[in-house]
Amino acid sequence: MGATVDSLMGNLCERIQERERRAPLSFKDFMAHAAARPHSVFRNIFQVFHDMVYRFVGEGVDEYPEDPESIHYVYYDCSKLFEEGTDHPFFADRLFANRLVHHIASFRRGAQQNRIYIFEGPHGCGKSTFLNNLLLKFEQYTRTEEGTCFESLWRLDKRALGAVPEREAHAILAQLRSLVDGSIGVPETSSHSREPLIAVPDKDYLEVPCPSHDHPVLLIPKAYRRELLDEMITDREFKEQLFSEKQYEWVFQDSSCTICTSLYQTLLDRLNSPARVFSMIFARSYQFNRRLGQGISVFNPGDGVTKTKVHSNPLLQNQLNGLLRDSNCVKYIYSRYANTNNGIHALMDIKGNNKERFANLHGIISEGVHKVEDIEENVNSLFLALMNPEDHENMADAQSFSDRITTIKIPYVLDYNTEVKIYENIFGKEIGTRFLPRVLQNFAKVILSSRMKTRSEALEEWIGDPDRYSLYCDRNLQLLKMDIYAGVIPTWLTEEDRKTFTAKRRRRIIAESEHEGNKGFSGRDSIKIFNEFYSTYAKKGKLITMRMVCAFFNKHRDGLADSIPAGFLVSLVGLYNYTVLQEVKESLYYYNEERISREIQNYLFAINFDPGRTEKCVYTGEELDISEGFFEAIEQRLLGAQVSEAQRRGFRRDVQTQYAGRTLTQEMLLGGKTIQETDIYQSLHKRYVHNLKENVLDPFLQNINFRSAIKDYGTDSFRAYDKRIREDVTLLMQNLNRKYGYTEQGAKEVCIYVIDSDLAPAFSNR
């Protein structure tokens, strides 16, 4: 029999109580907790927000860790922050992720003055989804032990302040009534009672929460904080950070709110004992709740602007006045900004009523204080806002505090990998199985081309004449920029261009993204276009190819091609052809590493002798008949079959000079390297392997049975081919699957495409 309702409800209540428990800590216990875990306790809103982002995103992955020109433009996995556990996932491309993390990193690098961070982007870029998910994850993070924040809470001891506890007052009143009525000993609840007493919870203290959510450490007078923390904290590494880094200046410079300050001073005057005052100070976890406006307040343009400037609690104020016997010493008044002090204040678009709200933030952002009647209220909040590019006119009054505004661009997606993730989220991850590898990414590149500028000064300065790469890249170099935006350094770049791809150039190229992504196909347009394309070409048993992509954008629907730069599709096909050709070559290539190594070692030994001699190689132990034929056979593998005799001889002289002048004397004799560890060996090995791969298809293209064997792979007819062809085709199919993710059908189709399109000659010697 299943568990009873009573037991189930009991377990549920225990779990809820455990999760929601907010038992305040005495100030003494809080300081002991702070000493044990200073990294997590001594944090303001900026530091907590920073830790939250890094908790979900991590440090990032650099695909080129050994690159000396790296600008740390890395891959950040934002799925846990913006996608997982959300109703509407937001997909941050690599550009925006780096931009966001860069700004968040500044929250831990220096002292934070009040600023407003405006995320600017066009309609349909996902701004609202981004902010909603960001705030959701922040709220969730603060409910964990790792993300716990603390705020001040007062518990004013009634006895210590000379007040009679409530339950004793009830007893006295009951006795007085009895004396008046002459009914001593008659129970208070009898018919003789004029007013029956109601049983209510009685406390020996009056609880006064800090409406500004002040950090408890701010209640320690400034003059004593440094000395106390120095003696209390034993973690030397953190202590050094606390006392020297600007991010912790608030610990020593900030003051508590006026309510807490006046309470502290009044109690000290009344009790004349700091110990008794601190016994009334407690710390409790700061509960962030967007729906209740506690710690997080989000305002939409249509939300009405409240006319109430000053908030108070009359009941609590009367209790304070009665307990402290003074109606003026503690004024429990505050503004609406207190709710998000040390929290987040966000505006969803600067339009409508949010224009007024933004204007009202002027003084707060500039000065960090807000006037509430005749008192000053400190406001240290994380101010966020969303804005469309056309709404700049609504910020006309912001010029006077423009130095306090940080704009973070959030344009349409400019990373093709992220664009694909959006399609997979809408239409299902299985859509990738309906495409040949790379074709889905190429569809995304067509969409991205409409969002990018057709001229890049940074790329023009670096590459010079784009026609040098006409086989792989468009004349506007958009395909090159797309790869760079995605964190890829293309393999088709020349060695010289790779060497001149300096950190300065990389920063200039990435900086151009700040001015792209505000036009072209929006996110909503892109989803509609993909839906139309996928519905048209996704047929059972057939894979979507590049020919289908080109046909769709060129002919299927009028108007699409007008948004795509001229010549882009042709260049995209060229890059695709180059890529699949390299994949087929790499998959077909098989070499005997031992044989290659022996040939290079023999060659390096033989170049020191004239042709016509027989010598024993000191590296391999082989007897070598040194002749022009010997040199020619190896040099053709190193330089290519088309190289002239003069070029071969010149190459041989250069190798011999380097071998004698540097390899033997410096690297081997002085450096103790083996021949295989030397620079010249590594260089020749790279040349040898490269040329083997470049020409690997040649013998197969001349064999008519090779194409037929590919078509028959996986069928009974495949057994009819000779053993060598079966082995080669099987190796090709297996490597395409293992290395590049092709299905058997896809591998066969792409191989036939490479052969029938005669791609090998088009990219020879490239």
Side-chain angles (χ1 to χ4, degrees), residues 139-198:
E139 195 171 335
Q140 292 176 352
Y141 173 73
T142 58
R143 292 174 183 168
T144 65
E145 183 177 357
E146 180 185 356
T148 299
C149 304
F150 291 94
E151 62 180 350
S152 300
L153 175 70
W154 292 86
R155 285 183 171 178
L156 307 184
D157 189 327
K158 295 177 181 179
R159 285 186 178 278
L161 293 171
V164 179
E166 191 173 352
R167 60 175 175 271
E168 294 183 17
H170 274 289
I172 294 171
L173 287 173
Q175 291 179 12
L176 288 173
R177 288 196 188 102
S178 298
L179 289 171
V180 172
D181 293 344
S183 54
I184 298 177
V186 178
E188 185 65 22
T189 57
S190 71
S191 59
H192 294 76
S193 300
R194 292 185 177 180
E195 183 180 337
L197 291 178
I198 301 174

Side-chain angles (χ1 to χ4, degrees), residues 58-72:
E59 291 295 329
V61 178
D62 189 348
E63 295 91 340
Y64 303 93
E66 305 301 325
D67 189 345
E69 296 292 336
S70 173
I71 59 172
H72 201 62

